[in-house]
Amino acid sequence: MTWDWNAVRDFMPHFWDGLLVTLRVVVLGSLISFALGLVWALLMRAPAPVRWPVGAVTEFVRDTPLLVQLFFLFYVLPEGGLAFSALTTGILAIGLHYSTYTMQVYRAGIEAVPAGQWEAATALNLPRSRTWRVVVLPQAIRRVVPALGNYVIAMLKDTPMLMVITVLEMLGQARLYSQEHFRFTEPVTVVGVAFVVLSCLASLLLRALERRLVH
């Protein structure tokens, strides 16, 4: 099949629409996963009656495919009276799924904080909440930024799964255009290049942020 630049030109408006959806999912999904992952990590340090249920829930979510979670949230929950739009469902699913991974990142960062820091806070008679807020979490988060950034890239590459719940992100737009115009090479290639470019840009930004935090 020959390359058709007219097909590329015709597809570009659809591509930009899909790109905006993709970026929205990645940004909002990342915020949810970072915030919820930190909550999970803190709860995992709570007494056993709290820690065990949280561990069971996060383990279940982590061991279940994202695709299954998307189907459950979009097609099963509405039968119980809880329904969201397709885009909102996709954002929540990705944020929830990856929060169980960012939880492990936060836990590693917290455990890497030297014991002397905890002892110094105790010696200064700092309240427990202030110890976490001022001493422990700032140090822990700085250590885990690279790992958190890797999950942002992973979320980006998982956005095409949202097609199964009718979200038209980049690949969804390419698929729809291809079915309507019987041109597959151009739209799929454009989307593939876009994913490479976005992943590279995210990696560069992550490295710049890492260098800034280290220095």
Side-chain angles (χ1 to χ4, degrees), residues 103-137:
M103 174 194 73
Q104 299 294 349
V105 174
Y106 284 123
R107 288 181 66 186
I110 292 170
E111 292 172 1
V113 174
Q117 298 293 314
W118 295 91
E119 295 169 357
T122 302
L124 292 172
N125 201 29
L126 291 179
R128 190 71 173 176
S129 60
R130 185 172 174 81
T131 299
W132 278 101
R133 189 174 66 254
V134 177
V135 179
V136 177
L137 289 181

Side-chain angles (χ1 to χ4, degrees), residues 185-202:
T185 302
E186 295 83 5
V188 173
T189 301
V190 169
V191 170
V193 171
F195 272 110
V196 172
V197 171
L198 289 173
S199 297
C200 291
L201 288 175

Side-chain angles (χ1 to χ4, degrees), residues 36-113:
L36 191 55
L38 181 58
V39 172
W40 295 141
L42 295 176
L43 290 176
M44 287 298 291
R45 299 180 67 89
V50 174
R51 184 174 66 251
W52 290 346
V54 170
V57 170
T58 54
E59 189 67 25
F60 176 80
V61 173
R62 186 164 55 249
D63 293 343
T64 308
L66 176 58
L67 194 60
V68 174
Q69 294 168 14
L70 285 168
F71 273 105
F72 181 84
L73 292 176
F74 191 67
Y75 294 108
V76 178
L77 279 188
E79 296 182 3
L82 188 59
F84 302 100
S85 68
L87 181 58
T88 300
T89 300
I91 292 170
L92 292 175
I94 283 184
L96 174 62
H97 183 79
Y98 276 95
S99 71
T100 61
Y101 293 95
T102 59
M103 174 194 73
Q104 299 294 349
V105 174
Y106 284 123
R107 288 181 66 186
I110 292 170
E111 292 172 1
V113 174

